[in-house]
PDB file of all heavy atoms in Angstrom:
ATOM      1  N   ILE G 750     -20.955   7.755  -7.160  1.00 97.00           N
ATOM      2  CA  ILE G 750     -20.416   8.987  -7.744  1.00 97.00           C
ATOM      3  C   ILE G 750     -20.045   8.790  -9.209  1.00 97.00           C
ATOM      4  O   ILE G 750     -20.344   9.633 -10.060  1.00 97.00           O
ATOM      5  CB  ILE G 750     -19.186   9.458  -6.933  1.00 97.00           C
ATOM      6  CG1 ILE G 750     -19.635   9.985  -5.566  1.00 97.00           C
ATOM      7  CG2 ILE G 750     -18.404  10.523  -7.688  1.00 97.00           C
ATOM      8  CD1 ILE G 750     -18.489  10.206  -4.597  1.00 97.00           C
ATOM      9  N   SER G 751     -19.403   7.664  -9.496  1.00 98.00           N
ATOM     10  CA  SER G 751     -18.908   7.429 -10.859  1.00 98.00           C
ATOM     11  C   SER G 751     -19.970   6.888 -11.801  1.00 98.00           C
ATOM     12  O   SER G 751     -19.822   6.988 -13.028  1.00 98.00           O
ATOM     13  CB  SER G 751     -17.732   6.443 -10.822  1.00 98.00           C
ATOM     14  OG  SER G 751     -18.170   5.149 -10.425  1.00 98.00           O
ATOM     15  N   GLY G 752     -21.028   6.284 -11.245  1.00 98.00           N
ATOM     16  CA  GLY G 752     -22.028   5.631 -12.082  1.00 98.00           C
ATOM     17  C   GLY G 752     -21.528   4.336 -12.684  1.00 98.00           C
ATOM     18  O   GLY G 752     -22.094   3.841 -13.672  1.00 98.00           O
ATOM     19  N   LEU G 753     -20.478   3.747 -12.111  1.00 98.00           N
ATOM     20  CA  LEU G 753     -19.852   2.544 -12.660  1.00 98.00           C
ATOM     21  C   LEU G 753     -19.917   1.398 -11.652  1.00 98.00           C
ATOM     22  O   LEU G 753     -20.327   1.582 -10.502  1.00 98.00           O
ATOM     23  CB  LEU G 753     -18.411   2.855 -13.066  1.00 98.00           C
ATOM     24  CG  LEU G 753     -18.331   3.875 -14.231  1.00 98.00           C
ATOM     25  CD1 LEU G 753     -16.925   4.445 -14.374  1.00 98.00           C
ATOM     26  CD2 LEU G 753     -18.784   3.231 -15.540  1.00 98.00           C
ATOM     27  N   ASP G 754     -19.520   0.213 -12.083  1.00 98.00           N
ATOM     28  CA  ASP G 754     -19.825  -1.006 -11.339  1.00 98.00           C
ATOM     29  C   ASP G 754     -18.794  -1.400 -10.285  1.00 98.00           C
ATOM     30  O   ASP G 754     -19.149  -1.921  -9.230  1.00 98.00           O
ATOM     31  CB  ASP G 754     -19.947  -2.188 -12.318  1.00 98.00           C
ATOM     32  CG  ASP G 754     -20.964  -1.943 -13.405  1.00 98.00           C
ATOM     33  OD1 ASP G 754     -22.041  -1.388 -13.091  1.00 98.00           O
ATOM     34  OD2 ASP G 754     -20.689  -2.275 -14.576  1.00 98.00           O
ATOM     35  N   GLU G 755     -17.530  -1.208 -10.599  1.00 98.00           N
ATOM     36  CA  GLU G 755     -16.480  -1.737  -9.731  1.00 98.00           C
ATOM     37  C   GLU G 755     -15.397  -0.701  -9.484  1.00 98.00           C
ATOM     38  O   GLU G 755     -15.273   0.282 -10.229  1.00 98.00           O
ATOM     39  CB  GLU G 755     -15.862  -3.002 -10.351  1.00 98.00           C
ATOM     40  CG  GLU G 755     -16.856  -4.148 -10.503  1.00 98.00           C
ATOM     41  CD  GLU G 755     -16.197  -5.426 -11.025  1.00 98.00           C
ATOM     42  OE1 GLU G 755     -14.940  -5.519 -10.972  1.00 98.00           O
ATOM     43  OE2 GLU G 755     -16.927  -6.312 -11.492  1.00 98.00           O
ATOM     44  N   VAL G 756     -14.582  -0.961  -8.453  1.00 98.00           N
ATOM     45  CA  VAL G 756     -13.563  -0.012  -8.010  1.00 98.00           C
ATOM     46  C   VAL G 756     -12.283  -0.774  -7.692  1.00 98.00           C
ATOM     47  O   VAL G 756     -12.322  -1.872  -7.129  1.00 98.00           O
ATOM     48  CB  VAL G 756     -14.030   0.750  -6.746  1.00 98.00           C
ATOM     49  CG1 VAL G 756     -12.966   1.734  -6.274  1.00 98.00           C
ATOM     50  CG2 VAL G 756     -15.364   1.456  -6.994  1.00 98.00           C
ATOM     51  N   SER G 757     -11.149  -0.197  -8.054  1.00 97.00           N
ATOM     52  CA  SER G 757      -9.865  -0.717  -7.574  1.00 97.00           C
ATOM     53  C   SER G 757      -9.051   0.451  -7.029  1.00 97.00           C
ATOM     54  O   SER G 757      -9.135   1.572  -7.536  1.00 97.00           O
ATOM     55  CB  SER G 757      -9.091  -1.441  -8.678  1.00 97.00           C
ATOM     56  OG  SER G 757      -8.716  -0.561  -9.714  1.00 97.00           O
ATOM     57  N   PHE G 758      -8.267   0.175  -5.981  1.00 97.00           N
ATOM     58  CA  PHE G 758      -7.503   1.215  -5.305  1.00 97.00           C
ATOM     59  C   PHE G 758      -6.027   1.069  -5.626  1.00 97.00           C
ATOM     60  O   PHE G 758      -5.485  -0.034  -5.709  1.00 97.00           O
ATOM     61  CB  PHE G 758      -7.717   1.129  -3.785  1.00 97.00           C
ATOM     62  CG  PHE G 758      -9.135   1.419  -3.371  1.00 97.00           C
ATOM     63  CD1 PHE G 758      -9.971   0.396  -2.969  1.00 97.00           C
ATOM     64  CD2 PHE G 758      -9.631   2.721  -3.411  1.00 97.00           C
ATOM     65  CE1 PHE G 758     -11.284   0.650  -2.586  1.00 97.00           C
ATOM     66  CE2 PHE G 758     -10.945   2.988  -3.042  1.00 97.00           C
ATOM     67  CZ  PHE G 758     -11.768   1.955  -2.625  1.00 97.00           C
ATOM     68  N   HIS G 759      -5.364   2.223  -5.767  1.00 96.00           N
ATOM     69  CA  HIS G 759      -3.941   2.271  -6.098  1.00 96.00           C
ATOM     70  C   HIS G 759      -3.297   3.370  -5.264  1.00 96.00           C
ATOM     71  O   HIS G 759      -3.962   4.038  -4.474  1.00 96.00           O
ATOM     72  CB  HIS G 759      -3.768   2.508  -7.598  1.00 96.00           C
ATOM     73  CG  HIS G 759      -4.533   1.527  -8.431  1.00 96.00           C
ATOM     74  ND1 HIS G 759      -4.026   0.317  -8.829  1.00 96.00           N
ATOM     75  CD2 HIS G 759      -5.819   1.558  -8.900  1.00 96.00           C
ATOM     76  CE1 HIS G 759      -4.930  -0.348  -9.518  1.00 96.00           C
ATOM     77  NE2 HIS G 759      -6.039   0.378  -9.577  1.00 96.00           N
ATOM     78  N   MET G 760      -1.997   3.571  -5.441  1.00 94.00           N
ATOM     79  CA  MET G 760      -1.289   4.529  -4.594  1.00 94.00           C
ATOM     80  C   MET G 760      -0.999   5.855  -5.292  1.00 94.00           C
ATOM     81  O   MET G 760      -0.438   6.754  -4.686  1.00 94.00           O
ATOM     82  CB  MET G 760       0.008   3.916  -4.071  1.00 94.00           C
ATOM     83  CG  MET G 760      -0.218   2.896  -2.955  1.00 94.00           C
ATOM     84  SD  MET G 760      -1.178   3.539  -1.563  1.00 94.00           S
ATOM     85  CE  MET G 760      -0.077   4.789  -0.924  1.00 94.00           C
ATOM     86  N   SER G 761      -1.344   5.978  -6.552  1.00 95.00           N
ATOM     87  CA  SER G 761      -1.157   7.251  -7.248  1.00 95.00           C
ATOM     88  C   SER G 761      -2.074   7.295  -8.454  1.00 95.00           C
ATOM     89  O   SER G 761      -2.554   6.252  -8.933  1.00 95.00           O
ATOM     90  CB  SER G 761       0.297   7.424  -7.700  1.00 95.00           C
ATOM     91  OG  SER G 761       0.599   6.549  -8.769  1.00 95.00           O
ATOM     92  N   GLY G 762      -2.273   8.503  -8.973  1.00 95.00           N
ATOM     93  CA  GLY G 762      -3.068   8.648 -10.186  1.00 95.00           C
ATOM     94  C   GLY G 762      -2.408   7.982 -11.371  1.00 95.00           C
ATOM     95  O   GLY G 762      -3.085   7.400 -12.230  1.00 95.00           O
ATOM     96  N   THR G 763      -1.083   8.057 -11.445  1.00 95.00           N
ATOM     97  CA  THR G 763      -0.360   7.404 -12.529  1.00 95.00           C
ATOM     98  C   THR G 763      -0.655   5.905 -12.548  1.00 95.00           C
ATOM     99  O   THR G 763      -0.917   5.322 -13.608  1.00 95.00           O
ATOM    100  CB  THR G 763       1.156   7.646 -12.382  1.00 95.00           C
ATOM    101  OG1 THR G 763       1.428   9.025 -12.660  1.00 95.00           O
ATOM    102  CG2 THR G 763       1.954   6.797 -13.352  1.00 95.00           C
ATOM    103  N   GLU G 764      -0.628   5.262 -11.372  1.00 95.00           N
ATOM    104  CA  GLU G 764      -0.922   3.823 -11.308  1.00 95.00           C
ATOM    105  C   GLU G 764      -2.347   3.527 -11.758  1.00 95.00           C
ATOM    106  O   GLU G 764      -2.601   2.514 -12.434  1.00 95.00           O
ATOM    107  CB  GLU G 764      -0.721   3.314  -9.887  1.00 95.00           C
ATOM    108  CG  GLU G 764       0.722   3.196  -9.453  1.00 95.00           C
ATOM    109  CD  GLU G 764       0.842   2.578  -8.074  1.00 95.00           C
ATOM    110  OE1 GLU G 764      -0.010   1.748  -7.702  1.00 95.00           O
ATOM    111  OE2 GLU G 764       1.792   2.934  -7.359  1.00 95.00           O
ATOM    112  N   ALA G 765      -3.278   4.367 -11.373  1.00 96.00           N
ATOM    113  CA  ALA G 765      -4.675   4.135 -11.754  1.00 96.00           C
ATOM    114  C   ALA G 765      -4.842   4.204 -13.268  1.00 96.00           C
ATOM    115  O   ALA G 765      -5.555   3.380 -13.873  1.00 96.00           O
ATOM    116  CB  ALA G 765      -5.578   5.153 -11.064  1.00 96.00           C
ATOM    117  N   VAL G 766      -4.177   5.170 -13.901  1.00 97.00           N
ATOM    118  CA  VAL G 766      -4.255   5.286 -15.365  1.00 97.00           C
ATOM    119  C   VAL G 766      -3.582   4.079 -16.017  1.00 97.00           C
ATOM    120  O   VAL G 766      -4.087   3.529 -17.011  1.00 97.00           O
ATOM    121  CB  VAL G 766      -3.620   6.607 -15.842  1.00 97.00           C
ATOM    122  CG1 VAL G 766      -3.555   6.650 -17.365  1.00 97.00           C
ATOM    123  CG2 VAL G 766      -4.424   7.792 -15.321  1.00 97.00           C
ATOM    124  N   MET G 767      -2.452   3.647 -15.489  1.00 96.00           N
ATOM    125  CA  MET G 767      -1.783   2.461 -16.023  1.00 96.00           C
ATOM    126  C   MET G 767      -2.718   1.257 -16.004  1.00 96.00           C
ATOM    127  O   MET G 767      -2.798   0.492 -16.979  1.00 96.00           O
ATOM    128  CB  MET G 767      -0.526   2.155 -15.204  1.00 96.00           C
ATOM    129  CG  MET G 767       0.598   3.154 -15.362  1.00 96.00           C
ATOM    130  SD  MET G 767       1.948   2.892 -14.184  1.00 96.00           S
ATOM    131  CE  MET G 767       2.650   1.371 -14.815  1.00 96.00           C
ATOM    132  N   GLN G 768      -3.425   1.088 -14.893  1.00 96.00           N
ATOM    133  CA  GLN G 768      -4.345  -0.046 -14.784  1.00 96.00           C
ATOM    134  C   GLN G 768      -5.508   0.074 -15.754  1.00 96.00           C
ATOM    135  O   GLN G 768      -5.934  -0.907 -16.370  1.00 96.00           O
ATOM    136  CB  GLN G 768      -4.854  -0.161 -13.348  1.00 96.00           C
ATOM    137  CG  GLN G 768      -5.943  -1.202 -13.129  1.00 96.00           C
ATOM    138  CD  GLN G 768      -5.467  -2.636 -13.342  1.00 96.00           C
ATOM    139  OE1 GLN G 768      -4.374  -2.879 -13.859  1.00 96.00           O
ATOM    140  NE2 GLN G 768      -6.288  -3.590 -12.947  1.00 96.00           N
ATOM    141  N   ALA G 769      -6.036   1.290 -15.921  1.00 97.00           N
ATOM    142  CA  ALA G 769      -7.152   1.486 -16.855  1.00 97.00           C
ATOM    143  C   ALA G 769      -6.741   1.096 -18.272  1.00 97.00           C
ATOM    144  O   ALA G 769      -7.477   0.386 -18.980  1.00 97.00           O
ATOM    145  CB  ALA G 769      -7.612   2.944 -16.820  1.00 97.00           C
ATOM    146  N   VAL G 770      -5.568   1.551 -18.706  1.00 97.00           N
ATOM    147  CA  VAL G 770      -5.096   1.242 -20.059  1.00 97.00           C
ATOM    148  C   VAL G 770      -4.810  -0.250 -20.192  1.00 97.00           C
ATOM    149  O   VAL G 770      -5.146  -0.880 -21.212  1.00 97.00           O
ATOM    150  CB  VAL G 770      -3.850   2.077 -20.388  1.00 97.00           C
ATOM    151  CG1 VAL G 770      -3.239   1.636 -21.717  1.00 97.00           C
ATOM    152  CG2 VAL G 770      -4.205   3.561 -20.444  1.00 97.00           C
ATOM    153  N   ARG G 771      -4.194  -0.849 -19.183  1.00 96.00           N
ATOM    154  CA  ARG G 771      -3.893  -2.280 -19.245  1.00 96.00           C
ATOM    155  C   ARG G 771      -5.171  -3.104 -19.365  1.00 96.00           C
ATOM    156  O   ARG G 771      -5.254  -4.047 -20.162  1.00 96.00           O
ATOM    157  CB  ARG G 771      -3.105  -2.703 -18.004  1.00 96.00           C
ATOM    158  CG  ARG G 771      -2.860  -4.203 -17.930  1.00 96.00           C
ATOM    159  CD  ARG G 771      -1.973  -4.585 -16.775  1.00 96.00           C
ATOM    160  NE  ARG G 771      -0.569  -4.371 -17.116  1.00 96.00           N
ATOM    161  CZ  ARG G 771       0.443  -4.933 -16.443  1.00 96.00           C
ATOM    162  NH1 ARG G 771       0.195  -5.716 -15.406  1.00 96.00           N
ATOM    163  NH2 ARG G 771       1.679  -4.715 -16.807  1.00 96.00           N
ATOM    164  N   LEU G 772      -6.197  -2.757 -18.588  1.00 97.00           N
ATOM    165  CA  LEU G 772      -7.458  -3.495 -18.662  1.00 97.00           C
ATOM    166  C   LEU G 772      -8.128  -3.316 -20.025  1.00 97.00           C
ATOM    167  O   LEU G 772      -8.702  -4.266 -20.578  1.00 97.00           O
ATOM    168  CB  LEU G 772      -8.399  -3.035 -17.554  1.00 97.00           C
ATOM    169  CG  LEU G 772      -8.091  -3.568 -16.151  1.00 97.00           C
ATOM    170  CD1 LEU G 772      -8.885  -2.813 -15.099  1.00 97.00           C
ATOM    171  CD2 LEU G 772      -8.389  -5.067 -16.064  1.00 97.00           C
ATOM    172  N   ALA G 773      -8.069  -2.104 -20.573  1.00 98.00           N
ATOM    173  CA  ALA G 773      -8.663  -1.866 -21.896  1.00 98.00           C
ATOM    174  C   ALA G 773      -7.977  -2.725 -22.950  1.00 98.00           C
ATOM    175  O   ALA G 773      -8.637  -3.321 -23.828  1.00 98.00           O
ATOM    176  CB  ALA G 773      -8.572  -0.383 -22.252  1.00 98.00           C
ATOM    177  N   ARG G 774      -6.671  -2.814 -22.897  1.00 97.00           N
ATOM    178  CA  ARG G 774      -5.939  -3.647 -23.855  1.00 97.00           C
ATOM    179  C   ARG G 774      -6.265  -5.126 -23.648  1.00 97.00           C
ATOM    180  O   ARG G 774      -6.413  -5.885 -24.620  1.00 97.00           O
ATOM    181  CB  ARG G 774      -4.441  -3.408 -23.695  1.00 97.00           C
ATOM    182  CG  ARG G 774      -3.973  -2.079 -24.281  1.00 97.00           C
ATOM    183  CD  ARG G 774      -2.543  -1.754 -23.908  1.00 97.00           C
ATOM    184  NE  ARG G 774      -2.018  -0.666 -24.730  1.00 97.00           N
ATOM    185  CZ  ARG G 774      -0.938   0.043 -24.430  1.00 97.00           C
ATOM    186  NH1 ARG G 774      -0.270  -0.210 -23.314  1.00 97.00           N
ATOM    187  NH2 ARG G 774      -0.531   1.008 -25.232  1.00 97.00           N
ATOM    188  N   TYR G 775      -6.383  -5.528 -22.418  1.00 97.00           N
ATOM    189  CA  TYR G 775      -6.684  -6.926 -22.095  1.00 97.00           C
ATOM    190  C   TYR G 775      -8.039  -7.346 -22.668  1.00 97.00           C
ATOM    191  O   TYR G 775      -8.174  -8.410 -23.282  1.00 97.00           O
ATOM    192  CB  TYR G 775      -6.666  -7.085 -20.579  1.00 97.00           C
ATOM    193  CG  TYR G 775      -7.053  -8.430 -20.026  1.00 97.00           C
ATOM    194  CD1 TYR G 775      -6.266  -9.553 -20.245  1.00 97.00           C
ATOM    195  CD2 TYR G 775      -8.192  -8.570 -19.234  1.00 97.00           C
ATOM    196  CE1 TYR G 775      -6.610 -10.783 -19.701  1.00 97.00           C
ATOM    197  CE2 TYR G 775      -8.541  -9.785 -18.686  1.00 97.00           C
ATOM    198  CZ  TYR G 775      -7.755 -10.891 -18.926  1.00 97.00           C
ATOM    199  OH  TYR G 775      -8.083 -12.119 -18.380  1.00 97.00           O
TER     200      TYR G 775
END
């Protein structure tokens, strides 16, 4: 669906966005 390679699961949309930003900074 996303056309992307990997997936991680979280308990809220806020957590998912936090992880996306953290990975981008990393």
Side-chain angles (χ1 to χ4, degrees):
I750 289 168
S751 67
L753 295 165
D754 304 319
E755 297 184 16
V756 180
S757 65
F758 295 106
H759 307 272
M760 285 305 295
S761 71
T763 290
E764 287 185 31
V766 173
M767 291 171 70
Q768 173 66 349
V770 173
R771 175 175 279 198
L772 283 167
R774 285 170 166 163
Y775 176 67

